[in-house]
Amino acid sequence: MTRRGVREIALLLALFGAYSGARMLADTDLAAARRHAGGVLELERLFGLDVEAGVNHAVSATPWAAAGMSFWYAALHYLVTPLVLLWLYRRHRDRYPAARNALVIGSALGLIGYVLLPTAPPRLMGGGYADVLASTADLGWWSSHASAPAGLGSFTNELAAMPSLHVGWAFWVAWSLRGVLPRIIGFLYAGITAAVVVGTGNHWVLDAVAGVAVVTAGIVVASRRQRRVPPAAADQRVVRPRLEDAPVVHHRDLVGAADR
């Protein structure tokens, strides 16, 4: 593996460590998180976006939908994003820096949101919301602590709902695959992910909107930075002819040229 490859892996591991650490550092006061969630719900009602209860009840009442969405929520967030990042590094190296930076910046903004505004997801609000992952935990590796594997629930913060980086990262995938796959595929992935986080009771609609917003901010900043980066030094160097490639001029040729 090249030195650059090792450096990229170290950077991404550091990002994942910060992602996990910031989630655990966020305030775990459930009462305060419920108040914040209540404010989110009131804002949704103002704009007619409060569809969580209906979608959640429909999913929980449909076993195949509950199982499928649980697998989607617990697996694809952690598989698709790094695979797309690796694919860009291997196959589209020119697009990789901006994509990586957009992911890092958007995730950092999301982590700030977790620390400053801990928000309870619908499943922790009571009032009839179903915890779909908990009800299907016997089918997979997850537990009653969202997508955390069984026995590791204490290592996650369940109040890190605003924004939804599940949706933000899915939107990043759609943006990263532009021009490579049909656009509809990427946006279907992001759209289904948004439906999954709401249907399983893990996020509010505005959490999903905020997830897209922070990643969009990351994309804008990373794209502008990329445009300001000068071409690589290797592309700027002047290629000088080697001495052995120079044409050989004999003395007699010089004399003949002078006579003419």
Side-chain angles (χ1 to χ4, degrees):
M1 181 179 293
T2 65
R3 183 178 300 178
R4 180 180 177 183
V6 172
R7 185 173 65 248
E8 292 297 332
I9 290 175
L11 173 64
L12 296 176
L13 288 176
L15 172 64
F16 184 76
Y19 173 76
S20 302
R23 286 171 62 94
M24 294 175 64
L25 288 174
D27 191 350
T28 56
D29 183 349
L30 179 58
R34 282 176 169 169
R35 288 196 298 271
H36 295 156
V40 170
L41 184 56
E42 286 299 321
L43 188 59
E44 289 187 352
R45 285 171 177 162
L46 182 63
F47 293 99
L49 299 175
D50 55 324
V51 300
E52 293 86 359
V55 175
N56 177 244
H57 292 163
V59 170
S60 63
T62 311
W64 64 265
M69 286 192 172
S70 295
F71 274 102
W72 189 291
Y73 187 90
L76 297 191
H77 178 60
Y78 304 105
L79 291 177
V80 175
T81 306
L83 285 176
V84 169
L85 200 59
L86 176 62
W87 177 74
L88 288 172
Y89 182 78
R90 296 292 300 273
R91 298 295 182 90
H92 294 272
R93 193 72 61 88
D94 59 319
R95 297 170 61 171
Y96 174 80
R100 176 204 59 206
N101 292 341
L103 184 64
V104 170
I105 295 168
S107 299
L109 293 174
L111 297 181
I112 293 172
Y114 295 157
V115 173
L116 297 182
L117 191 69
T119 304
R123 61 186 175 81
L124 294 182
M125 291 293 285
Y129 292 104
D131 188 339
V132 172
L133 268 79
S135 68
T136 58
D138 59 320
L139 301 176
W141 58 90
W142 55 87
S143 64
S144 59
H145 300 279
S147 58
L152 298 179
S154 60
F155 293 97
T156 188
N157 184 350
E158 297 184 72
L159 305 181
M162 170 65 81
S164 169
L165 285 182
H166 270 75
V167 176
W169 286 11
F171 178 75
W172 174 87
V173 168
W175 173 76
S176 298
L177 295 178
R178 69 198 187 285
V180 178
L181 295 178
R183 184 175 299 180
I184 188 63
I185 294 177
F187 285 102
L188 269 177
Y189 173 63
I192 293 173
T193 300
V196 165
V197 303
V198 172
T200 55
N202 281 288
H203 287 282
W204 307 96
V205 170
L206 286 182
D207 294 345
V209 174
V212 172
V214 295
V215 170
T216 298
I219 290 170
V220 170
V221 173
S223 299
R224 288 181 177 177
R225 183 180 183 276
Q226 185 73 8
R227 286 195 292 268
R228 290 198 301 267
V229 174
D235 296 332
Q236 293 178 329
R237 66 175 181 265
V238 177
V239 180
R240 296 181 175 85
R242 296 177 299 174
L243 182 60
E244 57 268 29
D245 293 336
V248 177
V249 180
H250 297 284
H251 176 69
R252 60 177 178 272
D253 296 330
L254 294 174
V255 173
D259 292 342
R260 291 195 295 270

